[in-house]
């Protein structure tokens, strides 16, 4: 060694390097030499933790109710709308799963930061177009990926966006008053960029199933950072919703108790017969009507037959013993 500081001389360094190259000196003899290091970027947030997405699911449930009503009002067609749940993924992973042509609408949801995305399956646009002009709501088959939307299809896309925006406004209202602004429309997924490809997005996917058996998907895509910025607000709304549900259960129990105490008039019918109005008008006091007695009397409440039973007496009172529920 050159000195007490254990610094190698140039000659020793050269000899060490030569020995490693020709194999006379073993290398990679440390602990776990076969383990590869995994790159970890501290600036890239872990999207799998750190935010409760329950509030987004609650928003989506309200969104479904308003969207179904909007489709019925505007298109005069009923549709089944279901949510596939909320997914968090990299933007590159999401956008690579889309196939052109598809309606990709860049939107601004103020006060959420950044740009969001509303993706509408072309089958929905074509079904809505057919419904709008009085057709049965048929969809189209396979489309050429480079096929642009016609001006009429663009107009239908705008109508669908108005429906979606109205539904989003009402669905978000208990949490945040949002304002929806339309941006660009594209049919090419690779041409749309709302965040960096390695950034995370929150995807809410809805399946729209029209009665004509045609269906498609609508995605509402939020930047993960936009929802994370209002994380505390979302969590507080989840807690408030939980408290509301508890209050609702208590109110339901009180209502049930009050309902069970309500008085109901029961009418027992021994039998019935049919006659003409003329014969009925000619009836006089003392006339006898003949009819076939049924096997059981019918007990009704509020005009609704409930039970069949046998008539009798108990403690000097007329009584009916229920035999079975009424079938009518």
């Amino acid at each position: 060694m050159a000195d007490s500081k254990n610094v190698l001389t140039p000659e020793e360094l050269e000899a060490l390097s030569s020995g490693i190259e020709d194999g006379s000196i073993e290398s990679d003899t440390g602990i776990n030499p076969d383990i590869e290091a995994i790159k970890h970027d501290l600036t890239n947030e872990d999207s799998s933790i750190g935010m409760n997405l329950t509030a987004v699911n609650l928003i989506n449930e309200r969104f479904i109710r308003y969207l179904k009503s909007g489709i019925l009002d505007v298109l005069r067609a009923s549709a089944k709308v279901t949510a596939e749940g909320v997914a968090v993924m990299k933007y590159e992973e999401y956008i690579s799963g889309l196939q052109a042509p598809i309606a990709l609408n860049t939107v601004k949801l103020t006060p959420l930061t950044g740009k969001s995305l509303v993706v509408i399956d072309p089958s929905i646009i074509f079904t809505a177009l057919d419904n709008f002009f009085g057709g049965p709501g048929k969809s189209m088959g396979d489309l050429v990926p480079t096929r642009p939307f016609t001006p009429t299809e663009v107009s239908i896309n705008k109508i669908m966006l108005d429906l979606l925006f109205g539904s989003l406004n009402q669905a978000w209202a208990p949490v945040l008053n949002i304002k929806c602004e339309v941006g660009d429309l594209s049919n090419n997924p690779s041409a749309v960029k709302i965040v960096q490809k390695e950034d995370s997005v929150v995807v809410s996917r809805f399946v729209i199933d029209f009665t004509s058996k045609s269906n498609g998907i609508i995605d509402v895509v939020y930047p993960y950072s936009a929802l994370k910025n209002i994380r505390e607000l979302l969590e507080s709304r989840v807690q408030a919703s939980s408290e509301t549900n508890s209050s609702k259960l208590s109110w339901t129990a009180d209502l049930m108790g009050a309902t069970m105490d309500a008085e109901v008039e029961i009418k027992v019918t021994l039998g019935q017969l049919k006659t003409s109005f003329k014969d009925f008008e000619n009836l006089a006091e003392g006339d006898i009507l003949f009819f076939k007695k049924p096997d059981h009397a019918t007990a009704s409440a509020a005009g609704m037959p409930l039970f069949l039973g046998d008539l009798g007496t108990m403690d000097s009172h007329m009584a009916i013993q229920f035999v079975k529920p009424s079938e009518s």
Side-chain angles (χ1 to χ4, degrees):
M1 294 296 174
D3 53 29
S4 59
K5 294 183 179 180
N6 296 330
V7 178
L8 298 178
T9 64
E11 292 79 9
E12 291 172 331
L13 290 173
E14 184 177 354
L16 180 61
S17 177
S18 300
I20 293 176
E21 290 179 0
D22 60 25
S24 60
I25 299 178
E26 294 185 4
S27 59
D28 296 332
T29 58
I31 300 176
N32 297 329
D34 297 330
I35 302 299
E36 295 184 1
I38 299 176
K39 182 180 179 181
H40 181 70
D41 186 358
L42 294 176
T43 63
N44 187 15
E45 60 190 347
D46 182 2
S47 60
S48 64
I49 59 175
M51 187 171 65
N52 187 349
L53 296 177
T54 304
V56 181
N57 281 315
L58 294 176
I59 291 171
N60 290 346
E61 290 177 6
R62 290 192 292 268
F63 174 77
I64 288 175
R65 294 197 298 269
Y66 295 124
L67 181 59
K68 289 173 62 176
S69 177
I71 291 175
L72 183 61
D73 290 342
V74 175
L75 300 180
R76 295 295 185 265
S78 59
K80 180 181 179 182
V81 184
T82 56
E84 288 193 351
V86 181
V88 180
M89 63 183 71
K90 300 298 182 184
Y91 182 67
E92 181 181 25
E93 177 187 354
Y94 170 74
I95 210 70
S96 62
L98 301 179
Q99 184 176 0
I102 193 168
L104 297 105
N105 298 274
T106 304
V107 299
K108 184 76 175 69
L109 304 177
T110 308
L112 297 181
T113 58
K115 294 181 179 179
S116 298
L117 200 61
V118 174
V119 181
I120 305 177
D121 196 310
S123 63
I124 293 180
I125 293 179
F126 298 136
T127 300
L129 176 62
D130 197 39
N131 266 318
F132 193 77
F133 288 103
K138 292 183 179 179
S139 183
M140 295 184 67
D142 295 336
L143 300 173
V144 178
T146 56
R147 175 191 182 280
F149 291 115
T150 66
T152 303
E153 292 164 358
V154 172
S155 298
I156 294 297
N157 176 75
K158 178 63 169 58
I159 292 175
M160 293 301 299
L161 275 183
D162 290 339
L163 283 177
L164 294 171
F165 286 171
S167 302
L168 279 175
N169 281 329
Q170 296 180 77
W172 272 89
V175 179
L176 194 67
N177 292 322
I178 64 171
K179 179 182 179 182
C180 306
E181 301 175 17
V182 182
D184 298 326
L185 169 63
S186 175
N187 67 343
N188 183 9
S190 61
V192 178
K193 182 178 181 182
I194 60 172
V195 293
Q196 298 298 321
K197 63 180 182 180
E198 67 274 6
D199 290 341
S200 298
V201 291
V202 178
V203 181
S204 295
R205 171 160 292 184
F206 305 92
V207 179
I208 316 297
D209 190 357
F210 290 91
T211 54
S212 58
K213 306 301 181 182
S214 63
N215 60 69
I217 59 99
I218 291 178
D219 289 345
V220 180
V221 184
Y222 308 94
Y224 181 85
S225 57
L227 298 187
K228 189 172 183 180
N229 290 340
I230 59 170
R231 176 176 54 188
E232 294 182 359
L233 179 60
L234 289 171
E235 291 177 351
S236 67
R237 299 310 302 176
V238 171
Q239 181 178 1
S241 177
S242 176
E243 293 173 354
T244 300
N245 289 337
S246 176
S247 176
K248 182 178 179 181
L249 290 175
S250 176
W251 180 84
T252 302
D254 292 341
L255 180 60
M256 178 65 73
T259 303
M260 297 302 290
D261 290 336
E263 294 184 358
V264 179
E265 182 179 1
I266 297 178
K267 180 180 180 181
V268 178
T269 304
L270 180 60
Q272 293 180 335
L273 60 86
K274 291 184 179 180
T275 185
S276 66
F277 180 77
K278 179 180 180 180
D279 292 340
F280 179 77
E281 191 178 36
N282 293 330
L283 289 176
E285 184 178 351
D287 289 346
I288 299 175
L289 299 177
F290 297 93
F291 65 96
K292 183 179 179 180
K293 179 179 176 296
D295 295 334
H296 303 287
T298 303
S300 305
M304 180 180 296
L306 299 177
F307 293 97
L308 300 180
D310 295 328
L311 291 179
T313 59
M314 177 174 287
D315 298 333
S316 71
H317 295 287
M318 293 293 296
I320 180 172
Q321 183 180 30
F322 294 153
V323 175
K324 60 180 180 180
S326 175
E327 296 179 356
S328 59

